[in-house]
Amino acid sequence: MLLIAMTVVRSWFTDPPWRIAAWVALGAGIVVGMVAGRLVAARLRFHGSDGLLAAEALQSLTRRRYMAASHGAGIAVLAATTLIARPSLLIISAPAYLAGAFAVHMITNLARPVPAIRKARPGWTVRRWLRQPGAGIVAAMILLLSLLWANTLGTNALIAVVGIEVILLALTLTLVDDSVVRFMTIAGHGARAIVLHHAQSLLPFTGLAVPICLVAFGPVAAGIVAAASIATLLLLAARVLAYRLYGKRFADLLVSIHAGVLLLAGYAAPIALPFVAIAILWQLQRRGAAKTWLLA
């Protein structure tokens, strides 16, 4: 699967013009950096409170060394992938990775150790706000304002900018807390209610961005926004259903495997993609409904 994925990535990055490929590399680098930053932040939070290395995890120098080593490995993997896909994009992907990781660490306030009772409060505040409908409205306004500038770049550049920005904004608006999912499950909430709770900001974002893009920029931009929003909503639903069944690490691994299956299905047989997605969600929902009683 890795060889097939690298072949597909290389074939895709070789054909488009360099500017479009650069936009895609920029978005991919930021997303990878943000994901890596969240993993490192979660690991440091664990060791700072419940882990066996709490004494080291509470020292600023040790934390910075750990972050540097972890992100060094992440940049190395990203650089190797970029060199295989299109070496000239390395000047875009590496800084984008650093920008995404830096943004995550700034949000979670991991640059300095703070008392355990206060260390996650800034992150909680940001996440709580991102789940509000107002966050979706603000994200839609950011997208539309940026598209006014991107509209002068041409059709291909506009499509690339729309795709990258919508994916980044939609992923930011659909952060899922596994502890909240399990608590709501124990409290008797169904999967649909939990998904709607975590999608309170995505739905206003889609409802505003799609019609405005349709009127201002045409059906192509509106279609990209709608498709990216639907894909993000499906990813959100899969994560919620997986968190109802398993712990965070195994659930994230399972969702990643399912996402890979969907990518391969979309590449090999696009017409079968909706049926594969429905089958995955139905299986997770069926297994979760049968095991909900174990959580009590």
Side-chain angles (χ1 to χ4, degrees):
M1 291 178 62
L2 180 60
L3 292 176
I4 294 174
M6 293 306 300
T7 303
V8 172
V9 170
R10 178 175 174 81
S11 63
W12 193 94
F13 275 93
T14 303
D15 296 331
W18 189 88
R19 186 167 61 178
I20 297 178
W23 280 107
V24 176
L26 176 66
I30 292 175
V31 171
V32 173
M34 293 179 68
V35 172
R38 291 190 61 190
L39 292 176
V40 173
R43 196 62 179 168
L44 285 174
R45 282 197 299 269
F46 169 77
H47 280 299
S49 57
D50 302 325
L52 299 176
L53 304 176
E56 290 79 7
L58 293 176
Q59 298 179 11
S60 299
L61 180 60
T62 308
R63 293 164 69 88
R64 286 194 292 266
R65 287 178 178 176
Y66 180 81
M67 287 189 288
S70 301
H71 289 305
I75 291 178
V77 174
L78 181 62
T81 305
T82 306
L83 291 175
I84 294 174
R86 194 163 179 173
S88 60
L89 297 176
L90 186 60
I91 60 175
I92 303 294
S93 61
Y97 176 98
L98 294 176
F102 179 78
V104 170
H105 288 305
M106 287 296 293
I107 292 174
T108 54
N109 198 20
L110 289 176
R112 57 185 177 87
V114 294
I117 193 173
R118 296 177 54 195
K119 67 176 182 178
R121 190 166 297 174
W124 293 344
T125 304
V126 174
R127 292 189 178 188
R128 189 183 303 113
W129 181 80
L130 288 175
R131 294 194 187 102
Q132 301 300 319
I137 298 174
V138 173
M141 294 300 103
I142 293 175
L143 174 66
L144 298 175
L145 289 176
S146 63
L147 291 184
L148 291 176
W149 166 80
N151 196 30
T152 61
L153 300 177
T155 304
N156 294 332
L158 177 63
I159 292 174
V161 172
V162 171
I164 293 172
E165 286 199 33
V166 170
I167 291 175
L168 292 178
L169 292 173
L171 290 176
T172 304
L173 295 174
T174 53
L175 299 176
V176 182
D177 191 338
D178 62 309
S179 59
V180 173
V181 173
R182 295 184 67 84
F183 177 81
M184 293 183 69
T185 302
I186 295 173
H189 295 277
R192 183 174 62 180
I194 301 175
V195 171
L196 291 177
H197 171 76
H198 286 84
Q200 293 182 79
S201 56
L202 179 64
L203 298 179
F205 169 76
T206 306
L208 283 175
V210 171
I212 296 178
C213 285
L214 179 62
V215 174
F217 305 103
V220 176
I224 294 175
V225 174
S229 299
I230 293 173
T232 308
L233 183 61
L234 292 176
L235 179 62
L236 169 65
R239 293 182 67 187
V240 168
L241 293 175
Y243 287 153
R244 283 161 53 91
L245 280 168
Y246 308 106
K248 178 176 175 58
R249 292 185 181 179
F250 186 79
D252 289 338
L253 176 62
L254 184 65
V255 172
S256 300
I257 294 174
H258 287 161
V261 171
L262 289 175
L263 289 176
L264 290 177
Y267 180 76
I271 193 174
L273 184 60
F275 301 100
V276 176
I278 292 173
I280 290 175
L281 294 177
W282 175 79
Q283 182 189 23
L284 290 174
Q285 167 62 18
R286 177 171 169 269
R287 296 173 65 183
K291 292 187 177 181
T292 300
W293 63 274
L294 296 176
L295 299 175

